[in-house]
Amino acid sequence: GAGVSQSPRYKVAKRGQDVALRCDPISGHVSLFWYQQALGQGPEFLTYFQNEAQLDKSGLPSDRFFAERPEGSVSTLKIQRTQQEDSAVYLCASSLGSWDKGYTFGSGTRLTVV
Amino acid sequence: AQKVTQAQTEISVVEKEDVTLDCVYETRDTTYYLFWYKQPPSGELVFLIRRNSFDEQNEISGRYSWNFQKSTSSFNFTITASQVVDSAVYFCALRAGSARQLTFGSGTQLTVLP
C-alpha cells in the first residue's frame, strides 16, 4: 500500500482481556518497528523486526506483550491480560532498509483499557 | 544511553510569527542521526528531516530551517512566518550507534493562532 496501515484505529478492552493490534507496512519494507506512546509523551520503542526476524524486543514492558511478523510483512502486537497502564497509542513504523533515512509511521491504534 | 530533551512543552504564537522549537540530545556515540517529526491531530508521525552527526550544515526547506550545533548538542527547528496548519506536536528524535530504533523527546505542542 501507499502507507503504513494499522488496525483497528481504536480499541477498548476490559481489564484482563487479550488484544491483537495489526500493522501492514509499506510493501517491500524490510524493517518494522512498534512504539508505545502514552498521552502527552513521545513514542517509546517496543520491538524491531528485520523481515521475519525479531532482532530486538528490549522495549517490551512485560511478558504480556508479544509481537510477531511470521512472513516478513504484516505484524501483530498482542497484549495479554490487559491492564490500565497499557492504555496508549501503539504506533507501527517501517523502513526500506536497516539504515534508511526515514521511517514511515502509521496512524496508530489507540488502546483504552477500562 | 541516549536521551532527547524538548524543554518546551507548549508554545503558542500568532500566525506569521517565527517560532523556534528546541531540542537537546545526549549520546556517547560519535555516529548518530537526528530527526524531526510532526504529529498532527490525526496521529501519524510525519517525517520532516534527518541529519547525521558529520554534517553540521544548517538546512532550509521552504519556511522550515534547522540549526545543528554539536558543541551544544542541539538540533533546533525554526518555522518562519508560521501558519495555522503548522499547529501540531513536533518531536525530535535520535538514532545513535548501532541502534535501529529512535529515541524520542517528549514533544512540543505548537499552536498557531489566526
Side-chain angles (χ1 to χ4, degrees), chain B residues 20-24 36 65-68 74-78:
Chain B
T20 295
L21 310 182
D22 297 334
C23 172
V24 174
W36 275 95
S65 62
W66 291 269
N67 184 353
F68 177 28
S74 65
F75 186 44
N76 296 338
F77 172 32
T78 297

Side-chain angles (χ1 to χ4, degrees), chain A residues 31 33 35 45 48 50 55-56 58 95 97-100 103, chain B residues 1-3 27 29 31-35 50 94-103:
Chain A
S31 300
F33 302 81
Y35 288 83
F45 169 74
Y48 160 67
Q50 185 171 311
L55 299 185
D56 188 345
S58 61
S95 69
S98 300
W99 300 104
D100 196 59
Y103 306 78
Chain B
Q2 334 295 344
K3 185 178 179 181
T27 179
D29 290 290
T31 301
Y32 53 89
Y33 297 84
L34 294 161
F35 298 77
R50 178 194 81 153
L94 166 70
R95 187 181 76 203
S98 59
R100 271 88 165 178
Q101 70 269 25
L102 300 177
T103 298

Side-chain angles (χ1 to χ4, degrees), chain B residues 7 13-14 28 34 37-38 40 47 52 60-62 67 71 93 104 107:
Chain B
V13 297
V14 177
R28 293 186 177 182
L34 294 161
Y37 281 87
K38 174 181 180 179
F47 169 79
N52 73 55
I60 298 174
S61 176
N67 184 353
S71 61
F104 285 85

Side-chain angles (χ1 to χ4, degrees), chain B residues 5-6 11 13-14 16 21 25 34 43 52-54 58 61-62 76-77 79 81 86 89 93 101 108 114:
Chain B
T5 301
Q6 295 180 255
I11 299 176
V13 297
V14 177
K16 298 184 182 176
L21 310 182
Y25 62 92
L34 294 161
N52 73 55
S53 53
F54 301 108
N58 291 332
S61 176
N76 296 338
F77 172 32
I79 302 174
D86 296 328
V89 181
Q101 70 269 25
T108 298

Side-chain angles (χ1 to χ4, degrees), chain A residues 68-79:
Chain A
E68 60 183 6
R69 194 185 185 197
E71 297 178 359
S73 55
V74 171
S75 177
T76 304
L77 176 66
K78 297 179 179 178
I79 309 173

